[in-house]
Amino acid sequence: MPLPADAHIGSVSLTVADLDRSVSFYRDVLGFQALSRTGATALLSPNSDCVLIELHERRDAVPKPRRSAGLFHFAILVPSRAALGRSLRRLAGQQWPLSGVADHLVSEALYLDDPDGLGIEIYRDRPRETWRTANGELAMASDPLDVQSVANEPGAERPWQGLDAATVIGHVHLHVPTLEIGEAVYCGEIGFEPVVRSYPGALFVSAGGYHHHLGMNTWVGVGAPPPPENAVGLRSFTVASRALEGRRVADADSRVIVQMVGG
């Protein structure tokens, strides 16, 4: 059964090796607020209200092997091009390196890694009425991004005060052993619907016609094994909707638990 049209990614839960280091990065570089910290766990928000990121420290954590299933990146969706420009300026001011930038036609994106090497995308959506279709599916690409234009967007020059309060988690992108396994779990069991199948080695799925709430790829190799239990990375993520609550789905291949929550 398809997910409700208002379904979206609510939050992500991450395993990190050093909580102090990670909190400093997410707060001081990216602009989150640390809502609370209890023992080995910290909760992060852009607005003192909703929790978008849970950080869980594991002192024996090891890096995620390159050829393993699990997190490719999670994506922070800011509400405007000016907000994206402010994040770009902040990263430059903090001398935090970008791993890539792209114009995806439906969105404009910055890519970077956190202190544990976990992939992060910060992006803004173009208005949905400007999205195009091609060959029966949504047109997406990875074209060069006009970084200077983003940095010079009116409003991007405003003094840095952290992330905009309307910031959310836009999507999660996973390495999966095969696209068939990924589709069986995330479409067959959870209810996302395919949006783009033609991108090489990848599948993009969503609810309500969004460009993607979940990306899946086999870019580290078909049959990639799960990471070690003590690897840094994605522990779980939530799918939120007013019509959903209380259902959990396990993906044994990437060790991700998806929890359905109301909201």
Side-chain angles (χ1 to χ4, degrees), residues 6 11 16 22 69 104 129 134 137 145 158 169-170 173 197 210 220 262:
D6 72 334
S11 63
V16 300
S22 291
H104 293 306
E129 59 268 22
E137 63 181 34
L145 177 67
R158 283 183 4 214
I169 300 296
H173 196 148
R197 292 184 180 275
Y210 189 58
V220 295

Side-chain angles (χ1 to χ4, degrees), residues 136-149:
E137 63 181 34
L138 194 63
M140 294 173 60
S142 289
D143 293 339
L145 177 67
D146 188 342
V147 176
Q148 196 61 53
S149 175

Side-chain angles (χ1 to χ4, degrees), residues 75-109:
I76 300 164
L77 173 59
V78 296
S80 67
R81 197 170 197 250
L84 184 66
R86 288 191 292 274
S87 285
L88 175 60
R89 287 170 174 246
R90 179 65 176 180
L91 291 168
Q94 294 291 303
Q95 299 184 329
W96 197 271
L98 294 175
S99 57
V101 299
D103 183 334
H104 293 306
L105 304 182
V106 295
S107 62
E108 294 179 301

Side-chain angles (χ1 to χ4, degrees), residues 211-222:
H211 56 72
H212 68 297
H213 290 115
L214 189 70
M216 295 171 270
N217 73 68
T218 56
W219 298 337
V220 295
V222 174

Side-chain angles (χ1 to χ4, degrees), residues 12 34 39 108 144 167 214 246 258:
V12 296
E108 294 179 301
T167 298
L214 189 70
V258 182

Side-chain angles (χ1 to χ4, degrees), residues 56-93:
H56 298 268
E57 181 181 67
R58 181 160 181 165
R59 297 300 289 184
D60 67 342
V62 298
K64 178 182 177 295
R66 180 184 177 278
R67 190 179 183 275
S68 63
L71 184 68
F72 178 46
H73 65 247
F74 68 93
I76 300 164
L77 173 59
V78 296
S80 67
R81 197 170 197 250
L84 184 66
R86 288 191 292 274
S87 285
L88 175 60
R89 287 170 174 246
R90 179 65 176 180
L91 291 168

Side-chain angles (χ1 to χ4, degrees), residues 24-258:
S24 294
F25 165 76
Y26 284 94
R27 181 191 61 212
D28 301 335
V29 178
L30 293 192
F32 283 94
Q33 301 175 33
L35 287 187
S36 68
R37 180 167 173 174
T38 305
T41 300
L43 305 180
L44 307 179
S45 171
N47 55 21
S48 300
D49 184 12
C50 61
V51 174
L52 297 188
I53 299 175
E54 297 180 5
L55 300 175
H56 298 268
E57 181 181 67
R58 181 160 181 165
R59 297 300 289 184
D60 67 342
V62 298
K64 178 182 177 295
R66 180 184 177 278
R67 190 179 183 275
S68 63
L71 184 68
F72 178 46
H73 65 247
F74 68 93
I76 300 164
L77 173 59
V78 296
S80 67
R81 197 170 197 250
L84 184 66
R86 288 191 292 274
S87 285
L88 175 60
R89 287 170 174 246
R90 179 65 176 180
L91 291 168
Q94 294 291 303
Q95 299 184 329
W96 197 271
L98 294 175
S99 57
V101 299
D103 183 334
H104 293 306
L105 304 182
V106 295
S107 62
E108 294 179 301
L110 315 174
Y111 294 92
L112 62 149
D113 293 334
D114 84 349
D116 285 294
L118 305 183
I120 299 172
E121 176 182 348
I122 305 174
Y123 75 110
R124 72 100 182 184
D125 279 335
R126 287 195 168 92
R128 189 176 289 215
E129 59 268 22
T130 69
W131 299 357
R132 306 192 311 271
T133 58
N135 300 317
E137 63 181 34
L138 194 63
M140 294 173 60
S142 289
D143 293 339
L145 177 67
D146 188 342
V147 176
Q148 196 61 53
S149 175
V150 173
N152 291 339
E153 180 72 11
E157 78 288 352
R158 283 183 4 214
W160 177 251
Q161 295 182 321
L163 287 168
D164 190 287
T167 298
V168 297
I169 300 296
H171 63 265
V172 175
H173 196 148
L174 302 175
H175 294 298
V176 293
T178 70
L179 297 182
E180 292 77 15
I181 289 174
E183 184 170 358
V185 172
Y186 293 104
C187 296
E189 294 188 40
I190 293 176
F192 285 116
E193 297 180 279
V195 178
V196 176
R197 292 184 180 275
S198 61
Y199 203 93
L203 173 66
F204 298 94
V205 303
S206 77
Y210 189 58
H211 56 72
H212 68 297
H213 290 115
L214 189 70
M216 295 171 270
N217 73 68
T218 56
W219 298 337
V220 295
V222 174
E229 184 203 358
N230 62 333
V232 298
L234 184 66
R235 298 163 64 95
S236 65
F237 64 90
T238 64
V239 176
S241 164
R242 290 184 297 273
L244 294 173
E245 193 165 2
R247 190 158 69 92
R248 298 172 69 88
V249 178
D251 176 0
D253 296 291
S254 62
R255 300 188 181 181
V256 170
I257 302 296
V258 182

